[in-house]
Amino acid sequence: MQKSLVINPDKCTGCLQCELACSYENEGVFNPSKSRIKVFTFHQEGRFVPYTCTQCSEAWCQQACPVNAITLNLQTGAKEVNESSCVGCKVCTIACPFGTVNYNHSSGKVIKCDLCGGNPKCVEACPTQAITYVDADQTGLEKMRQWATETDNNTATA
Amino acid sequence: MSWTGKVLRINLTAGEITTEALNEEWKNDYLGSRGLATKYLSEEIDPACDPLSAENKMIMATGPLTGTMASTGGRYVVVTKGPLTNCIACSNSGGFIGAEMKSAGWDMIIFEGKSPTPVYLYIENDKAELLPADEIWGTSVWHTDEWLHAKHQDPLLRIAAVGRPAENGCLYAGIINDLHRAAGRSGVGTVMASKNLKAVAVRGTLGVGNIADPAGFMKAVNDGKAVLAENPVTGQGLPAYGTQVLMNVINEIGALPTNNMKEVQFDGAHAISGEAMHEPRKSDGRPNLTTNAACFGCTIACGRISTIDQGHFSVKNKSKYWGNSGGLEYEAAWALGADNGVDDLDALTYCNFICNEEGFDPITFGATVAAAMEMYEDGNLSKEQTGGIDFSFGSAEALTQAVDLVASGEGFGVDLALGSKRLCEKYGRPELSMSVKGLEFPAYDPRGIQGIGLNYATSNRGACHVRGYTVASEVLGIPEKTDPLTAEGKPALVKAFQDATAAVDSAGICLFTTFAWSLDNIAPQVEAACGGGWSPERLAETGERIWNMERDFNLKAGFTRADDNLPERLRTEAAKTGPAKGLVSKVEEMLPEYYELRGWDSDGVPTAETRKRLGLS
């Protein structure tokens, strides 16, 4: 079964545990500035929103890459950057409509979420289950369940 | 390990910036943050110096767990000699700047001297420079934050700054970071402004690594996170209600100081409680509380994000306060509310916003207003002297006008900026200042919670709850329940809490973890991060060493046994209602036993034997 990250901003507290886990897994240090997932704070609205790559099926980054450094992991569905091929041209960072591919100046390559090979550390670290990793074909399941709980059996019409 | 091993030293007088290695020996004896910074300060300044002179230094310090994934590992401290108290001052703050400082490669930043003109410190990893702050001098923390982000075109910059009260010499100005987190007490912001230092802006992209045992660390961190999640206080109470979970609880046990501590219960407690923050307002149907929020790495998330009712008198035509910002925590809600007899949640939230926007301590501010209200009602303060404000207990209008006056430094705000001790002395009623060593009490009455009274009397920074929170045991039963109304056994309890707290603070994590964690949960995290044999026993001993070092600082600053006491009111005027009815604080009865347990002589001076045991010179 292929899985997807599902993010529920309502549950996020802005603690950055996801960024810490991500950077530690990928860089070996606790370093939010090198995290593949980012939490945005909208101070005036009192909202926190984690954001990362959605692993597009037809990935702009993959199609834009002139050296085919971005490839599909068939098991996880992740679009992964092959470090040895990446030349750091940054075209993928322009092609991505969501900004989730970014250049890392210390390595000279780009970085993006690769779902940690199927065991995303951000999910493990999140204390409020704002980030979950679920069946890719049922990412709406939890939201449907929420609405279902509010449905009145007597008047429900479908 | 887990320390960066680097210290940034800023000589503001000369405008010179140097770097040096962290003292290896000291870090093993004092761990980090509070302990280590106090060691540096004790070695480098004369404790008898004028806190607002160039002779005083100010240290911003992180701990070994700061910036790591350890839950709540984002804390930093500001250590200096405090102008409100003339004692050692150590103010701890969360938010994000502490971790950023560590990620930029610095364990500690030492500020010395005084800049000839207003400046701010800009740090980008190894690059550190002093830049002109003339354009932001005379403006608020929030304005400074916005200006610096715009100037450096960097939304990820983390900023700590002082506001106008600090510049104007308000003795309880704090340093605000990340808009609404505060190194709030003792006037550390006043010291910062006295050095002509407006702000510290940090961008760190190096990350925090250098973990002694990476696999062991992640296990210890995950174990710790699980304990916090499963504990009813850290897993449910604090996320849902914040520290405001306490308002109704403390009122019910008759320990909620009211009207400048004349009473111990407040009729309006529910209206300003954590529960009330969840209730929809009549005007717009929204509750005061929008969401809870976490500081860096914190899996508790007790922070409050709130709004003020747009129709409330305090914000009419002031749209800048209509959005969300840092909401009320228990101590602020008590000091601004119950202690002044004010039960208007929106007025308190407004005052809290202003304290954050302009950088001053809502506890000392609220308690100072309370003292002013009592003097006003007693006829020591006239309406002419308050600038025409009716300072009666219960007046939300007086409270919000007072907060605006302290913010701007105008009118009666000049007097209120002195803090309660100096204000009450000025108007001839020194006994009405509810403070120890010049620092106002927080929100627990020592008549109804006896242990906390002894902690207030002996706390090295003056009356402070976060130096030895025996409320955990006496009220909440953590780690075990003790009777709040008895003095028996409290000296040992106070000592144990004080020592453990000093260790927790020095690790770089938040004291609130200790609702669920003991040193047994913390030691494995410190040991895996640092290496070198950090057992729970060694942490407790380190805490005791730190406590005695702070005591030494104060003794050298001129404090004596006579300063380890509570105001007469709490020792002679019995509680009038509630479970503690008829009781006074038995602090004087507890003090000799406390000294003995600490290994101090009858004057409260550590004996030669104690010094030797703890390795103090």
Side-chain angles (χ1 to χ4, degrees):
Chain A
M1 178 177 66
Q2 214 161 78
K3 288 182 163 187
S4 287
L5 288 176
V6 172
I7 292 172
N8 181 351
D10 283 346
K11 292 183 175 174
C12 179
T13 64
C15 75
L16 310 190
Q17 279 273 333
C18 55
E19 296 191 12
L20 291 165
C22 177
S23 57
Y24 197 68
E25 173 71 9
N26 290 291
E27 308 285 331
V29 286
F30 300 110
N31 190 357
S33 75
K34 296 285 193 288
S35 174
R36 279 81 170 147
I37 185 167
K38 293 300 291 177
V39 179
F40 293 88
T41 298
F42 299 96
H43 184 253
Q44 283 279 318
E45 302 160 38
R47 278 201 318 138
F48 306 98
V49 184
Y51 204 85
T52 190
C53 175
T54 61
Q55 314 295 348
C56 308
S57 291
E58 290 181 36
W60 278 267
C61 60
Q62 189 179 10
Q63 292 176 15
C65 180
V67 295
N68 295 322
I70 298 177
T71 52
L72 168 69
N73 179 325
L74 283 169
Q75 275 196 319
T76 63
K79 307 301 172 299
E80 297 176 350
V81 178
N82 185 331
E83 278 234 4
S84 58
S85 314
C86 174
V87 295
C89 73
K90 312 177 197 69
V91 172
C92 56
T93 69
I94 302 164
C96 174
F98 308 107
T100 56
V101 191
N102 284 282
Y103 181 64
N104 178 3
H105 83 274
S106 43
S107 64
K109 316 280 179 184
V110 296
I111 56 176
K112 71 176 286 300
C113 171
D114 62 1
L115 298 173
C116 297
N119 179 21
K121 299 297 174 188
C122 54
V123 173
E124 220 174 89
C126 179
T128 60
Q129 290 81 50
I131 311 166
T132 50
Y133 193 50
V134 303
D135 181 350
D137 294 342
Q138 297 284 345
T139 55
L141 198 66
E142 179 55 26
K143 210 179 271 179
M144 283 204 290
R145 200 186 67 80
Q146 285 294 324
W147 283 105
T149 59
E150 289 173 31
T151 303
D152 183 335
N153 282 348
N154 296 320
T155 58
T157 51
Chain B
M1 304 292 263
S2 197
W3 295 273
T4 68
K6 283 164 59 189
V7 175
L8 192 58
R9 189 178 289 275
I10 317 290
N11 183 326
L12 291 158
T13 308
E16 278 173 11
I17 298 178
T18 51
T19 65
E20 61 196 54
L22 189 71
N23 187 306
E24 288 288 316
E25 189 188 332
W26 293 353
K27 85 179 185 347
N28 292 328
D29 286 343
Y30 298 95
L31 190 54
S33 197
R34 173 177 163 188
L36 197 50
T38 306
K39 177 64 178 169
Y40 269 83
L41 190 80
S42 299
E43 295 288 337
E44 295 192 12
I45 72 163
D46 175 3
C49 75
D50 172 357
L52 296 179
S53 70
E55 208 189 323
N56 193 10
K57 297 190 185 186
M58 184 186 89
I59 303 176
M60 290 180 166
T62 64
L65 295 184
T66 307
T68 73
M69 207 165 144
S71 186
T72 78
R75 312 294 299 186
Y76 93 107
V77 292
V78 180
V79 172
T80 186
K81 178 172 177 174
L84 185 69
T85 56
N86 284 308
C87 310
I88 186 77
C90 170
S91 287
N92 186 306
S93 181
F96 298 86
I97 198 169
E100 199 76 16
M101 201 187 291
K102 187 90 173 274
S103 192
W106 306 106
D107 285 323
M108 204 181 276
I109 308 171
I110 303 176
F111 296 93
E112 50 193 36
K114 176 183 178 174
S115 171
T117 54
V119 290
Y120 69 95
L121 176 67
Y122 177 76
I123 298 174
E124 193 190 321
N125 297 337
D126 290 340
K127 184 178 124 186
E129 51 187 338
L130 289 167
L131 297 169
D134 304 276
E135 274 185 67
I136 37 175
W137 198 256
T139 72
S140 73
V141 172
W142 290 359
H143 176 268
T144 298
D145 189 281
E146 195 180 341
W147 188 87
L148 286 168
H149 278 115
K151 186 187 168 193
H152 291 278
Q153 302 264 304
D154 185 354
L156 298 176
L157 207 55
R158 302 293 189 186
I159 292 161
V162 294
R164 291 181 295 167
E167 297 173 18
N168 294 336
C170 167
L171 291 172
Y172 49 89
I175 301 169
I176 307 292
N177 59 281
D178 304 292
L179 294 173
H180 52 77
R181 308 311 307 178
R185 303 218 72 192
S186 310
V188 295
T190 320
V191 172
M192 180 159 155
S194 78
K195 300 191 170 305
N196 268 329
L197 179 65
K198 181 68 179 176
V200 176
V202 191
R203 184 72 195 286
T205 62
L206 304 174
V208 175
N210 199 19
I211 301 293
D213 169 11
F217 184 68
M218 292 309 275
K219 181 181 183 309
V221 163
N222 287 332
D223 289 350
K225 283 168 66 177
V227 172
L228 293 175
E230 285 153 19
N231 182 279
V233 178
T234 51
Q236 294 157 27
L238 286 173
Y241 298 108
T243 51
Q244 274 275 66
V245 70
L246 288 166
M247 184 66 75
N248 286 318
V249 174
I250 302 295
N251 191 46
E252 274 160 32
I253 67 156
L256 189 70
T258 300
N259 292 1
N260 202 34
M261 305 188 95
K262 286 202 285 189
E263 316 285 338
V264 296
Q265 289 182 309
F266 180 45
D267 287 342
H270 177 77
I272 60 169
S273 68
E275 289 83 349
M277 289 168 73
H278 279 275
E279 290 164 9
R281 290 189 283 253
K282 282 192 189 111
S283 57
D284 59 5
R286 291 173 61 187
N288 173 282
L289 183 76
T290 301
T291 186
N292 64 327
C295 295
F296 181 96
C298 173
T299 58
I300 303 173
C302 74
R304 305 290 89 184
I305 302 295
S306 287
T307 58
I308 304 168
D309 185 342
Q310 293 180 14
H312 189 260
F313 74 84
S314 61
V315 295
K316 260 191 186 152
N317 308 316
K318 292 192 207 169
S319 58
K320 73 186 275 203
Y321 302 112
W322 291 356
N324 282 279
S325 194
L328 290 165
E329 303 191 32
Y330 172 58
E331 309 299 330
W334 160 78
L336 299 165
D339 205 29
N340 296 307
V342 176
D343 63 2
D344 180 336
L345 190 63
D346 287 297
L348 307 193
T349 308
Y350 173 74
C351 291
N352 203 61
F353 279 19
I354 301 298
C355 285
N356 287 331
E357 181 185 20
E358 291 288 358
F360 55 106
D361 173 12
I363 303 180
T364 286
F365 165 75
T368 302
V369 170
M373 284 180 168
E374 186 164 0
M375 290 194 290
Y376 182 84
E377 292 201 341
D378 284 358
N380 308 106
L381 251 177
S382 69
K383 208 167 183 174
E384 270 178 9
Q385 285 163 320
T386 65
I389 305 170
D390 176 358
F391 249 70
S392 300
F393 278 118
S395 172
E397 289 79 5
L399 181 72
T400 55
Q401 286 179 65
V403 92
D404 288 340
L405 289 173
V406 172
S408 64
E410 292 164 352
F412 189 52
V414 175
D415 277 351
L416 291 172
L418 296 169
S420 70
K421 181 167 178 272
R422 291 166 180 83
L423 180 81
C424 292
E425 280 165 1
K426 179 170 176 176
Y427 290 97
R429 297 293 300 280
E431 76 281 10
L432 294 186
S433 168
M434 294 299 119
S435 61
V436 174
K437 301 180 177 75
L439 189 70
E440 288 73 9
F441 289 92
Y444 313 88
D445 198 292
R447 291 166 290 202
I449 310 175
Q450 291 288 332
I452 200 75
L454 177 63
N455 170 64
Y456 287 158
T458 56
S459 154
N460 289 319
R461 72 166 185 179
C464 172
H465 58 302
V466 289
R467 283 297 173 276
Y469 194 70
T470 59
V471 174
S473 166
E474 295 179 278
V475 180
L476 304 170
I478 301 166
E480 55 195 32
K481 186 79 173 73
T482 52
D483 180 358
L485 302 178
T486 175
E488 203 179 324
K490 294 303 163 59
L493 188 74
V494 168
K495 177 181 179 293
F497 270 84
Q498 289 176 337
D499 292 348
T501 300
V504 171
D505 287 347
S506 301
I509 55 173
C510 178
L511 181 60
F512 291 0
T513 57
T514 59
F515 286 116
W517 289 353
S518 69
L519 293 181
D520 290 340
N521 303 97
I522 295 167
Q525 300 183 58
V526 175
E527 170 58 16
C530 302
W534 289 95
S535 63
E537 295 74 24
R538 180 172 166 196
L539 282 176
E541 193 193 60
T542 302
E544 187 180 7
R545 182 178 300 117
I546 293 164
W547 191 269
N548 279 271
M549 166 176 62
E550 292 172 339
R551 176 76 177 181
D552 261 344
F553 184 98
N554 287 348
L555 292 170
K556 288 176 193 159
F559 288 85
T560 66
R561 177 190 170 124
D563 300 297
D564 294 344
N565 210 341
L566 301 181
E568 197 183 345
R569 165 167 289 168
L570 304 171
R571 291 180 282 118
T572 59
E573 294 176 25
K576 294 171 196 155
T577 60
K581 188 176 174 183
L583 289 182
V584 294
S585 167
K586 297 166 194 160
V587 63
E588 286 167 320
E589 183 186 316
M590 292 183 274
L591 197 65
E593 186 186 337
Y594 171 84
Y595 280 2
E596 204 180 316
L597 284 167
R598 279 241 167 264
W600 296 352
D601 66 20
S602 58
D603 289 327
V605 179
T607 61
E609 199 175 282
T610 302
R611 282 176 200 285
K612 196 179 163 201
R613 179 170 63 81
L614 295 171
L616 292 164
S617 48

